[in-house]
Amino acid sequence: MEKPDQIKLEVHPRGITSLFLTEMWERLSYYGMRALLVLYLVKSLGFSDRDAGTVYAYYTSFVYLTPVIGGYITDRYLSYKFAIYLGSVLMLLGHLSLAMPNIHYFYFGLFLLALGNGFFKPNISTIFGRLYTNTPNLRDSGFTIFYMGINLGGLLGPIIAGSLGEKVDWHLGFFSAGVGMGIGILVFYFGSRSLPESIWVKTENRNHHTRVSMGSNLQNSTSEQSERNRETDEFSKITLIGLLSFFSIFFWMAFEQMGTSLNLFALRNTDRFFFGWEIPASLLQSLNPLMILVFGPLLSFLWFILSKTNKNPNPILKFVISLFLLGIGFLVMVFAAEQAEKGMVVSILFLVFVYFWNTLSELCLSPVGLSFVSQMAPVRFASLLMGIWFLCTAFGHYAAGILSGYQREWGSMAQFYAFFVLVSWSAAIVLCGIYFWKRTSILRLINETNQTKDDDGSPIRASVES
């Protein structure tokens, strides 16, 4: 677990800044467009809530589905660097297509954005993780910094693109997102020169598994047993990654209401006037990344303090905590919906509190999941398993978009948001039960993985507490 001084950039591997800024600009473009998408469909194109939710569902799920394909292709045919460039250029063209005032260009732009993300997303995360091969104790703090870059882009995107789109011209907002993507490409082009060449090489150190003495049957047998053990360990790691990836679906299904039903709730049912100035609904999408930038370091410091007394939760327990906190956020939303159904204009503070709890929930799950997949995945499956993580994210986004269309058709909005309370808390209870059922095996696997990767000099988590 990171120490406070490990958040400082100077103690991290050379090149972290370029990847941090590349991801920041890419996320600025994505979240700027995301903040506008449903509002543009409903306000400008006249889509119903259900139709807008369906478009959102297909687009955002495809955004996280394509990394499975992109990761697979990269693992076998492409270099990491070429895949990142390919994805970046496709996304740039997608944003420019959205800026064209034509519905056909609009759908084509969404397609290019999703396709480009498939090559960019899994590989930028994998490369970032490989920076820490020789400094595993800095891995978690490194991903904290990386995640802060994501959310700095997420903060600026809705402010720039959202404000331009809602207040000036929708297509100008989409174009500004494309400018952000273009800057990201330039940052990566110049910044990648400072990255160590070793991170681009797709090799796996298996020396301790493959030493065989030609004259010794005993050593041959030992090598075969070692190979079987390695394959068993790989299967167990993949299973554990799959378990957490599956439960992430329930998180994203609820969390992504921010871009859909909560976005429309802000537009229609929330008092957004501040000293006579009406705050654009899309601007509220910046609350979540702002809170991450504020509370992210504080939560990281809390994990550090808990680690001193061996009370720092491991990744599985952090997922449980995340799902529980998510339910609290939607419980607040139930009370807000009850007021809205009485014809009242709801205070903006309700959404502030909802985003507060959702942010704490996200901090316990999303960066933890990225770090966990990167450190546990066998090297030969690294991009593919990162793609699996995003595949489950895709399922969650799809469900979020489809469900959002029923916000006003559920029976009542209060019941609609209560559904997410029930789902989140139920998932937390089930995952907690699985963990304590298999606690010994899970902890043994994690600790053995740490010891093995210590020997190999591969990236690991600094410590895993029970």
Side-chain angles (χ1 to χ4, degrees), residues 211-214 216-224:
R211 293 190 187 117
V212 178
S213 174
M214 295 179 60
S216 172
N217 291 331
L218 177 61
Q219 288 186 346
N220 281 332
S221 176
T222 301
S223 178
E224 292 174 2

Side-chain angles (χ1 to χ4, degrees), residues 163-272:
S163 297
L164 287 174
E166 277 197 80
K167 295 297 185 180
V168 183
D169 181 83
W170 293 106
H171 300 286
L172 181 60
F174 291 132
F175 178 79
S176 67
V179 172
M181 190 66 246
I183 295 175
I185 294 174
L186 292 176
V187 169
F188 182 73
Y189 174 76
F190 291 104
S192 61
R193 299 176 181 179
S194 65
L195 296 173
E197 288 298 323
S198 59
I199 69 171
W200 306 111
V201 180
K202 291 189 276 188
T203 59
E204 184 167 15
N205 186 353
R206 299 181 187 174
N207 291 338
H208 71 292
H209 294 302
T210 59
R211 293 190 187 117
V212 178
S213 174
M214 295 179 60
S216 172
N217 291 331
L218 177 61
Q219 288 186 346
N220 281 332
S221 176
T222 301
S223 178
E224 292 174 2
Q225 182 62 40
S226 178
E227 182 69 15
R228 285 195 294 270
N229 290 340
R230 183 185 66 83
E231 292 177 354
T232 301
D233 286 345
E234 284 188 348
F235 178 78
S236 298
K237 293 172 189 175
I238 292 171
T239 301
L240 193 53
I241 290 173
L243 177 69
L244 292 190
S245 297
F246 172 75
F247 276 92
S248 74
I249 294 175
F250 301 104
F251 168 82
W252 294 114
M253 180 178 69
F255 181 83
E256 272 302 303
Q257 296 304 312
M258 281 198 297
T260 50
S261 65
L262 292 178
N263 208 2
L264 292 174
F265 188 90
L267 176 69
R268 296 164 175 160
N269 305 106
T270 303
D271 180 8
R272 293 180 282 111

Side-chain angles (χ1 to χ4, degrees), residues 8-9 25 38 78 87 96 99 108 121 149 177 188 196-197 230 233 253 256 293 304 322 332 346 379 426 447 460:
K8 298 178 180 178
L9 287 178
W25 283 107
V38 168
L78 304 179
L96 296 180
F108 184 60
K121 194 69 176 177
F188 182 73
E197 288 298 323
R230 183 185 66 83
D233 286 345
M253 180 178 69
E256 272 302 303
L293 293 172
F304 167 70
S322 169
V332 174
V346 176
V379 173
S426 297
N447 289 324
I460 60 165

Side-chain angles (χ1 to χ4, degrees), residues 431-450:
L431 180 58
C432 187
I434 293 174
Y435 170 72
F436 283 103
W437 175 40
K438 294 291 186 179
R439 180 174 179 271
T440 302
S441 299
I442 291 173
L443 292 179
R444 178 178 55 80
L445 173 65
I446 295 176
N447 289 324
E448 286 179 356
T449 300
N450 286 353

